[in-house]
Amino acid sequence: MAKVLQTPSHSLKEFRILPGYTANDGNAPNVQLTTRLCQKREQFIELNTPFLSAAMQAVTGVDMAISLAQLGGIGILPVSQTIDEQCAKVVQVKRFKAGFQTDIMTLSPNQRISEVLSIIQKTGYTTFPVTQSGIFHDKLIGILTDKDFDERRDLSVQVSERMKTDVQFGTEINELRAANDLMIKLGRGFLPILSEEGILQTVVFKKDLDKHLRHPNESIDEQKRLLVGAAISTHAEDKERAQELISNGVDVLFIDASDGHTEYQAEMIKFIKKHSETPVVGGNIITHEGFRFLVDSGADAVKVGMGIGSGCTTQEVKATGRGQGTSLMEVGKSRQNFTKESGRYIPLIADGGISGPAEMSVALALGADTLMMGNFFARYTESHGSLMRNAAGEIVKEYWMEGSMRAHNMRRYAQTKENFFEEGISGYVPHVGSIFDKLPMIIQMLRATLATAGCKTIEELHSDAVLEMQSPSALLDSKIHDIIPMNIDQQVL
Ligand code: IMP
């Protein structure tokens, strides 16, 4: 006889958090969202904000990974690409030095102004270092800007005749603050940085630097490089992928499998743990047994969630899955018992079904240390999906699930070409603008929730939050009711 659990499972949407006592120094600006991503040796990789962009083709490319790490989270590069492509993206994120640019367009002294004009028209760039050979990493001999020539009379004149040669520069500067100080002293918006031998190394634009200095929460490693994660599948050929990603500097590996309670998964985790110290995140699981299995296999953090992704059809086609509230409660309890027994803390990642600040807060209160989101991040300009116009004329972003025909990520679902069926759909989500404009407000909302709950940290939220399940009518009251929202263009008569 099959075992039947008679208590229904619950979604994150069914819970609300009750207020706790908030002292004067416990208001939102005093709340810290620093949290543990995964174990690393005897310590943890920590993030200043609890956000992970999902390992999905539509979501995480280099742009998203860099932007989210600058805002204190981390991007996880998807597995559905070649090993070389995925490693190249890891390298791009790790090489990114906010404010320092190493690849802007340079000119050679004997180019004609007519060529420069066409470069300006094509790229919109207006400031160009001039090097002896025209190649970036060469001796700097001048700077040309769009103000240095007459665009009608000078067309056949050479760059060398119009460039400024009294260039002010920095030498061997690695620290952004030092570059900033020098730019302020020189009153410049642009600063080339040279080696002792006069070779151009990097350039700094004041506008980029200001942007960087506005992000004090960046996720960085010991060498001050941005953090980045990458997904691998459980298939044997991905042992090579794991090794390549590690040698290219990935900070954490995520096993991308819809069901993490499998022998394949344990084999992959053990393989990685045997060959490297790079942390590995296992998943996905939704039960106590699944959690213990992954921890016993050596996982450094565990992803929780099955069948609840926004475009996921797993529950419809396979009837497997569980409400995310219940999954987190059960796994959270299991983690608590494990910590008591072993003294070890395994961070939990709530993965899927989180699309707004209320669900984020509830997931964190139910034990999640971080939040992995696809749909939520797909909406930003920086996501990997393209912008498109829908039939109603609205600007939207493509969003397709990893189990969809389009993604063809069969290894995530232990499928082959012959037995492939979809576990997710392709669609689109509204475009909401840049992550840099919108995520800071979401961070404020989370801080405010913690403050109302009487908690100053996510750790306190785990131990002290009081949540309550809501009846269907209480949930109706918890949303806008009995009022019609006013459009901005409506007028009072
Ligand atoms: P979302 O944030 O609700 O859109 O969920 C994103 C999460 O759904 C991902 O991080 C995956 O764990 C999961 N997921 C991605 N693609 C599929 C799919 O095709 N079917 C089921 N789950 C998926």
Side-chain angles (χ1 to χ4, degrees):
M1 205 24 211
K3 183 170 164 186
V4 180
L5 306 177
Q6 303 272 356
T7 321
S9 80
H10 296 284
S11 111
L12 297 173
K13 293 186 173 65
E14 292 171 73
F15 295 85
R16 291 291 178 257
I17 299 169
L18 300 187
Y21 169 70
T22 310
N24 283 348
D25 68 350
N27 51 14
N30 292 313
V31 168
Q32 288 291 327
L33 293 178
T34 306
T35 191
R36 293 177 269 200
L37 171 66
C38 60
Q39 291 190 319
K40 185 173 181 188
R41 298 187 206 105
E42 300 306 304
Q43 296 176 335
F44 295 94
I45 294 185
E46 290 197 336
L47 301 177
N48 287 319
T49 60
F51 304 116
L52 279 63
S53 63
M56 298 173 73
Q57 297 162 53
V59 181
T60 310
V62 170
D63 226 15
M64 175 58 76
I66 290 177
S67 310
L68 186 52
Q70 288 187 288
L71 289 163
I74 186 169
I76 312 303
L77 298 164
V79 64
S80 5
Q81 52 194 320
T82 65
I83 297 177
D84 286 348
E85 284 166 346
Q86 202 184 16
C87 288
K89 290 178 187 171
V90 167
V91 170
Q92 263 180 282
V93 181
K94 295 307 291 179
R95 284 215 184 128
F96 177 82
K97 267 180 142 189
F100 289 104
Q101 295 206 27
T102 51
D103 57 357
I104 70 161
M105 189 151 289
T106 37
L107 301 174
S108 84
N110 42 21
Q111 271 177 289
R112 307 262 166 207
I113 295 297
S114 55
E115 279 179 70
V116 179
L117 263 179
S118 88
I119 294 173
I120 292 176
Q121 275 153 12
K122 272 193 214 128
T123 62
Y125 301 146
T126 53
T127 303
F128 303 91
V130 184
T131 63
Q132 232 157 30
S133 62
I135 294 169
F136 190 94
H137 289 287
D138 198 2
K139 198 167 176 59
L140 184 77
I141 54 173
I143 299 282
L144 185 84
T145 75
D146 59 344
K147 314 255 173 347
D148 295 329
F149 54 83
D150 185 309
E151 51 184 73
R152 271 158 301 158
R153 275 183 284 137
D154 289 346
L155 292 179
S156 55
V157 171
Q158 287 196 329
V159 165
S160 56
E161 292 177 51
R162 291 288 177 269
M163 68 188 188
K164 294 267 179 322
T165 49
D166 57 338
V167 181
Q168 286 178 306
F169 56 88
T171 308
E172 303 279 354
I173 295 180
N174 283 314
E175 287 290 327
L176 272 182
R177 281 196 189 276
N180 193 35
D181 291 348
L182 186 56
M183 285 172 107
I184 290 170
K185 197 168 142 208
L186 299 174
R188 296 287 154 112
F190 170 79
L191 184 72
I193 312 269
L194 310 186
S195 67
E196 297 287 1
E197 296 76 37
I199 305 293
L200 183 59
Q201 290 182 320
T202 57
V203 296
V204 185
F205 288 92
K206 184 99 176 56
K207 59 179 181 354
D208 290 349
L209 212 144
D210 290 343
K211 199 168 159 191
H212 167 72
L213 294 174
R214 265 186 269 130
H215 301 302
N217 282 333
E218 280 180 334
S219 308
I220 43 176
D221 62 19
E222 303 80 31
Q223 296 167 52
K224 302 214 163 88
R225 299 173 308 175
L226 294 179
L227 296 183
V228 64
I232 56 168
S233 79
T234 53
H235 285 227
E237 70 262 24
D238 270 7
K239 289 182 178 165
E240 183 196 340
R241 182 185 293 270
Q243 283 169 321
E244 288 295 320
L245 287 164
I246 291 167
S247 56
N248 279 287
V250 76
D251 294 285
V252 49
L253 291 169
F254 275 62
I255 302 201
D256 185 43
S258 63
D259 173 12
H261 196 164
T262 65
E263 196 174 344
Y264 288 126
Q265 174 125 178
E267 283 167 5
M268 185 54 97
I269 295 175
K270 285 178 186 157
F271 171 81
I272 296 166
K273 300 302 303 176
K274 189 167 162 203
H275 291 90
S276 122
E277 290 199 321
T278 301
V280 53
V281 175
N284 284 19
I285 53 85
I286 51 173
T287 61
H288 156 71
E289 291 79 9
F291 172 78
R292 288 305 286 240
F293 175 79
L294 288 184
V295 171
D296 291 344
S297 306
D300 294 301
V302 168
K303 279 180 290 163
V304 181
M306 185 189 286
I308 36 85
S310 56
C312 157
T313 53
T314 299
Q315 296 210 37
E316 287 168 56
V317 298
K318 284 172 40 189
T320 50
R322 193 175 213 185
Q324 183 70 322
T326 300
S327 301
L328 283 171
M329 282 193 288
E330 179 168 318
V331 177
K333 181 99 197 118
S334 184
R335 188 256 309 269
Q336 194 178 33
N337 292 336
F338 177 77
T339 304
K340 267 190 208 142
E341 284 164 30
S342 66
R344 280 177 60 210
Y345 186 86
I346 305 291
L348 298 181
I349 299 165
D351 177 16
I354 302 170
S355 50
E359 287 146 29
M360 293 176 196
S361 300
V362 169
L364 292 171
L366 289 176
D369 297 274
T370 55
L371 311 161
M372 182 175 242
M373 297 179 283
N375 188 312
F376 175 81
F377 284 117
R379 297 165 180 237
Y380 291 121
T381 312
E382 292 77 4
S383 74
H384 202 230
S386 303
L387 278 174
M388 51 188 268
R389 199 180 286 278
N390 69 7
E394 298 149 341
I395 304 287
V396 295
K397 279 218 112 179
E398 299 177 293
Y399 182 50
W400 65 99
M401 305 302 285
E402 285 299 300
S404 64
M405 183 70 87
R406 174 166 180 187
H408 234 70
N409 180 1
M410 288 171 289
R411 295 176 304 169
R412 182 170 203 275
Y413 298 92
Q415 296 174 346
T416 61
K417 260 191 201 138
E418 288 68 42
N419 68 14
F420 175 74
F421 60 89
E422 286 193 303
E423 288 199 34
I425 66 160
S426 297
Y428 60 80
V429 288
H431 174 233
V432 296
S434 167
I435 192 170
F436 288 105
D437 295 330
K438 300 290 161 98
L439 200 66
M441 185 55 74
I442 300 284
I443 292 171
Q444 290 315 322
M445 290 172 185
L446 288 186
R447 286 203 172 121
T449 304
L450 265 73
T452 303
C455 303
K456 278 194 194 158
T457 61
I458 290 177
E459 219 175 325
E460 279 181 30
L461 188 72
H462 285 169
S463 57
D464 301 348
V466 181
L467 293 109
E468 187 171 62
M469 302 251 333
Q470 304 295 299
S471 70
S473 45
L475 280 177
L476 279 182
D477 280 351
S478 79
K479 308 236 167 69
I480 295 169
H481 55 93
D482 304 321
I483 176 169
I484 299 160
M486 177 114 79
N487 288 331
I488 212 93
D489 53 359
Q490 283 166 331
Q491 287 174 10
V492 177
L493 292 177

